[in-house]
Amino acid sequence: MFRPSTLRPLASRAAAARRFASSVPETTRAPTTSSTRAGELSTVLAPGEEVDPQLHGYPQLPYVSLQTREPFGWWDRQERKNFGEVFHEEEDVLGMWGPDVHKTSGPSALAQLSGAFALIGVFSYLLYKTRPQRPVAARTYPYGGLEKELGDKLPARVEKEDE
């Protein structure tokens, strides 16, 4: 069982987390266009952007995935968040477990895929053209390809000569 001295009250845990969050260098902290602390819910919008009426005072955070953040220097390393940081309205899409954010652009990915298919096509063509000929002659059957032996209904298929 736990000794009482090993269990810290929740308030001291929160204080330790705040001290840790304040000790994180400013370069690795979350990019903020608005205050992201739970108690301060003010919103700063870009020019031309309207306030979402469905948020009812919740901060309108930038639409940036957490996967683009630096991997180290966060209170929660797995989610890349600091203690007390406000969740985005679309956390399920912008969180670490949302769809992956790729660094490869669309045209670059298309060029790489086309190059791979071209290499496979060239390799297949070379294999087809350098295939060795059959070492034996094709088999021939007497009496019209065993037509009589197969019941006069279906003639045996005729093997085609290789080119």
Side-chain angles (χ1 to χ4, degrees):
M1 204 65 189
F2 296 109
R3 288 182 278 167
S5 62
T6 60
L7 296 175
R8 294 191 307 187
L10 183 61
S12 65
R13 287 184 187 174
R18 278 192 294 275
R19 281 194 307 273
F20 175 77
S22 64
S23 68
V24 174
E26 197 63 39
T27 57
T28 60
R29 281 198 188 171
T32 56
T33 57
S34 65
S35 177
T36 57
R37 293 286 174 203
E40 309 163 2
L41 297 179
S42 64
T43 303
V44 177
L45 298 175
E49 191 174 343
E50 296 180 11
V51 177
D52 189 356
Q54 295 179 347
L55 292 179
H56 297 292
Y58 196 78
Q60 194 164 348
L61 301 174
Y63 196 84
V64 178
S65 176
L66 295 179
Q67 296 176 13
T68 59
R69 289 184 173 182
E70 293 293 324
F72 301 109
W74 303 99
W75 179 76
D76 183 1
R77 284 185 246 150
Q78 185 171 358
E79 289 289 333
R80 295 183 186 173
K81 286 188 165 288
N82 285 328
F83 184 83
E85 189 174 341
V86 176
F87 284 91
H88 195 278
E89 173 190 9
E90 298 185 25
E91 175 69 23
D92 53 344
V93 174
L94 298 176
M96 290 300 295
W97 303 106
D100 289 337
V101 176
H102 300 286
K103 294 180 182 178
T104 307
S105 66
S108 174
L110 184 62
Q112 291 174 19
L113 192 61
S114 300
F117 284 142
L119 283 175
I120 291 171
V122 167
F123 182 71
S124 300
Y125 179 76
L126 289 175
L127 283 179
Y128 176 75
K129 284 300 185 184
T130 59
R131 183 179 61 175
Q133 292 185 359
R134 296 176 68 179
V136 296
R139 179 173 236 180
T140 58
Y141 294 100
Y143 308 112
L146 298 178
E147 192 172 304
K148 183 177 175 184
E149 286 78 6
L150 290 176
D152 290 335
K153 299 215 183 232
L154 298 174
R157 66 181 171 94
V158 178
E159 293 186 15
K160 296 180 181 178
E161 293 288 329
D162 282 342
E163 295 175 14

